Amino acid sequence: MSTPAPLAPLIQPFFDQDTFTYSYLVRDPASSACAIIDSVLDFDPASGRTQTQSADQLIAAVTAQGLTLEWILETHVHADHLSAAPYLQQQLGGQIVIGAKITEVQRVFADVFHAEPEFARDGSQFDRLVEEGDCLPLGELSIQVLHTPGHTPACVTYLIGDAAFVGDTLFMPDYGTARCDFPGGDARQLYQSIHKIFALPDTTRLMLCHDYQAPGRDRFCHETSVAEQKQQNVHVHLGVSEAEFVQQRQAKDATLKMPRLILPSVQVNMRAGQLPPAEANGVRYLKLPLNLLGA
């Protein structure tokens, strides 16, 4: 007897071209239950101002369709955009979720940013910490958790029906894979995580967190498949050994600059998207540690 095909969630992508980030509204076709994955809080580093246009688009879509937001999912602590999770929760409800290894990220970056003594390094800023094998309900669907570290220790993939939301683990096949040179990153772990994703059915849809539009391609893309990645990924197609991948990934990472928004992003996202607490004058500040991270 053949195995029944997994259910297909309804997926609506939202693209923020300023940070090249895809956020997703994912709903169960049989109910009003929905989840939002990797939301964006608009941020202008020159003025230090945050805005909510990107998140408001998600809110409008949820409201227009009469949906109930159950989960606000983060695939990892992003280094390229600020999360809008608290704003979404304030407007729509839902629980904020991230991988349980967030505690490792918090321990490292609490020191990098010399966080206030009250900053908790136990992940308690999030409503739920998830690990490999955990399952969250979404109407008649379920959200299965795969721990896919390498880019960061806390990276997870959310498998919902026939679609896997892979965060930064993989990009479009013509662009390759995530970098591994952030604190706690590990190219060997990334290779193993990617092969965990490759073990999913070939027809599994892979929903990407970013697309940087590789040279020669004239449009942004958010979706690929396990089969396409295994056959065409320029860094990690089938036949590339772990040792070969690690060598080329580390060589590539040595040439990369830090992301434009890494310093504001990480110190906000490690707090589940909350801004640092206000100081005595009532103003919140983001820190810029000097001469600490890579060039």
Side-chain angles (χ1 to χ4, degrees), residues 69 72 84-96 127 274:
L69 183 59
I72 303 168
Y87 177 71
L88 293 172
Q89 187 177 58
Q90 179 185 34
Q91 300 296 316
L92 298 172
Q95 295 187 51
I96 303 173
D127 297 307
Q274 296 285 353

Side-chain angles (χ1 to χ4, degrees), residues 40-43 50-59 84 87:
V40 173
L41 180 70
D42 304 298
F43 177 67
T50 61
Q51 294 183 309
T52 61
Q53 294 98 318
S54 295
D56 287 336
Q57 293 179 33
L58 290 162
I59 292 169
Y87 177 71

Side-chain angles (χ1 to χ4, degrees), residues 123-141:
S124 57
Q125 300 87 347
F126 298 83
D127 297 307
R128 185 144 179 181
L129 305 183
V130 291
E131 303 183 45
E132 174 80 23
D134 282 351
C135 193
L136 306 175
L138 188 68
E140 295 189 9
L141 295 171

Side-chain angles (χ1 to χ4, degrees), residues 125-274:
Q125 300 87 347
F126 298 83
D127 297 307
R128 185 144 179 181
L129 305 183
V130 291
E131 303 183 45
E132 174 80 23
D134 282 351
C135 193
L136 306 175
L138 188 68
E140 295 189 9
L141 295 171
S142 63
I143 304 170
Q144 300 177 53
V145 178
L146 305 177
H147 183 215
T148 48
H151 177 54
T152 81
C155 289
V156 294
T157 291
Y158 298 107
L159 180 62
I160 309 175
D162 70 339
F165 297 81
V166 299
D168 287 11
T169 303
L170 288 161
F171 300 132
M172 287 299 292
D174 59 3
Y175 202 87
T177 71
R179 64 194 296 168
C180 300
D181 59 332
F182 296 158
D186 187 300
R188 293 188 184 280
Q189 282 189 339
L190 182 64
Y191 182 88
Q192 294 159 13
S193 294
I194 289 170
H195 277 262
K196 183 184 293 185
I197 294 170
F198 282 1
L200 297 171
D202 279 356
T203 55
T204 303
R205 296 183 287 167
L206 301 184
M207 302 294 164
L208 310 178
C209 186
H210 297 287
D211 184 38
Y212 299 103
Q213 195 173 328
R217 179 156 47 87
D218 61 1
R219 61 190 177 93
F220 292 102
C221 300
H222 69 276
E223 180 178 341
T224 176
S225 70
V226 168
E228 289 175 348
Q229 292 283 0
K230 290 197 296 189
Q231 296 163 10
Q232 302 172 23
N233 189 286
V234 295
H235 294 159
V236 73
H237 57 269
L238 292 183
V240 175
S241 70
E242 181 176 300
E244 290 170 330
F245 173 77
V246 170
Q247 182 179 25
Q248 67 171 332
R249 185 67 263 171
Q250 291 177 341
K252 175 69 173 177
D253 289 347
T255 70
L256 300 178
K257 294 182 179 180
M258 287 290 107
R260 177 174 64 99
L261 295 180
I262 184 172
L263 295 175
S265 295
V266 172
Q267 60 189 301
V268 169
N269 295 338
M270 72 180 186
R271 303 170 186 270
Q274 296 285 353

